[in-house]
Each structure stands twice: as C-alpha cells, then as structure tokens.
Amino acid sequence: DCNVCILMLDAREGVADQDANIAGYILEAGRSVVVAVNKWDALDESQRERLKSELDRRLHFLRFARLHFISALNGTGLGALMRSVDDAFAAAMRKLPTPKLTRALIEAVQRQQPPRRGPHRPKLRYAHQGGQNPPIVVIHGTSLDAVPETYRRYLESWFRDQFSLEGTPLRIEFRTGANPYAS
C-alpha cells in the first residue's frame, strides 16, 4: 500500500534469499524502491567490496534503485536516504507528455531498431503514458507481438534515462491495432 519502499539490508549478513524475495515482491507490486544497507560502518574495506559485488549480482533487477550505505546507530546517511525516497516518489508520479515520449521512442528506434522476426520488422509508431506509480508507457504500432524481451528492456532503460525515472520501475506495454484490410 506504500508509494516508496525502503529495502533495508544488514551489511554483516549480506543479501539473504529472503531479501531477494522481498525485492521481487516490491518489483511485482510496481512500487518505487530505495535500497539501504545498514551497519556499513561495521565492515572493513575487503568486506565492503565483497558486499558491493554481491549486491550487484543478487539484486541486478533493482539497478534502477538508488543504493545507500547507512548506519542507523550513528545516523549517518539517513538524510541522503530520505532525499532519495522523495526523488523516487517524484519519479513514480511524473507526468510524461505524449509528444516527448513519441520523440524519445523515435530516437530510440533510430539508434537501435527492433530485430526482425519472420517476414516483418515490428514498427513502433507512437507512445503515450498509460498510468503512474509505476509509470506505464504504452507503445502503439504493428507486429508488436514479435518484439523480444531484450528490446523491451532496452526501451525501459532508454525511457528511464530520457525522463530521469530513477528509483521507480517502468512498465512498457505494446498495443497493436486491428488491421482493417486483414480480410
């Protein structure tokens, strides 16, 4: 029911399986997220490097979320954490104008076209916002059922970079209109 989740991890325990499961639930619910690693001051330099690589490996699907290393006991890093929560909420509620979305889509397709599957290449015509919290970008075109998941991820990262949507998941929906000449 929240707008922004703070995924709190214990630095001494690393990323437990339960932490990764909770992160998956946050992503499925479409909630904005900020990752906080507590007890950071209790680790030495080699343990910190090992934990950073473990975070990158186990929580790779949350790369869009900001990561903060904090100490709740000493109160260090909490101000930056709360600013990231505010930024994630603002990104989740951002209005994305249709002309800007369509221009960003055209630029993304010019940089990298969707791969051809069968006799036709998918054509992405225009985009508009389909919802907020999380932001949903609806793309209209033809043969969009042939767009692979890798291209969907490319578009997600492209729109995330173009509209500064850090901290919130972004959903891409494809809609193909009925062909009036099919019969």
Side-chain angles (χ1 to χ4, degrees):
D1 290 339
C2 67
N3 289 315
V4 180
C5 297
I6 299 176
L7 180 63
M8 181 79 73
L9 305 174
D10 189 331
R12 292 184 292 183
E13 294 180 16
V15 182
D17 290 337
Q18 187 65 24
D19 296 328
N21 287 337
I22 292 171
Y25 291 140
I26 293 170
L27 193 60
E28 281 179 30
R31 296 295 137 211
S32 299
V33 63
V34 177
V35 180
V37 180
N38 193 23
K39 301 179 184 172
W40 184 248
D41 53 346
L43 302 180
D44 63 22
E45 193 59 38
S46 66
Q47 291 172 322
R48 288 179 179 182
E49 290 302 317
R50 198 171 328 118
L51 180 62
K52 284 181 182 178
S53 66
E54 183 183 4
L55 285 168
D56 193 44
R57 183 177 50 82
R58 300 278 312 267
L59 298 178
H60 62 88
F61 54 91
L62 288 181
R63 284 200 178 118
F64 63 86
R66 287 192 182 153
L67 178 64
H68 290 277
F69 302 103
I70 65 168
S71 172
L73 183 65
N74 299 331
T76 56
L78 297 180
L81 175 71
M82 295 313 292
R83 282 190 294 279
S84 290
V85 168
D86 290 339
D87 292 345
F89 178 72
M93 302 307 280
R94 186 161 297 135
K95 295 201 183 300
L96 308 173
T98 299
K100 288 183 180 180
L101 275 172
T102 301
R103 281 193 293 273
L105 174 66
I106 291 169
E107 189 177 345
V109 171
Q110 285 175 347
R111 295 183 111 213
Q112 177 68 44
Q113 288 191 358
R116 179 184 301 267
R117 275 207 183 150
H120 303 289
R121 182 182 304 272
K123 290 191 170 102
L124 290 73
R125 304 256 185 238
Y126 69 96
H128 65 87
Q129 187 170 10
Q132 296 172 319
N133 200 17
I136 299 170
V137 176
V138 180
I139 298 174
H140 294 267
T142 57
S143 302
L144 297 181
D145 53 337
V147 175
E149 188 62 31
T150 54
Y151 198 76
R152 180 188 302 263
R153 286 194 303 268
Y154 160 71
L155 289 174
E156 282 179 17
S157 83
W158 178 261
F159 286 125
R160 187 180 310 286
D161 291 343
Q162 295 298 309
F163 294 99
S164 302
L165 297 174
E166 189 176 28
T168 184
L170 176 67
R171 300 214 170 126
I172 303 284
E173 291 181 9
F174 294 115
R175 292 195 187 151
T176 302
N179 184 353
Y181 303 105
S183 60

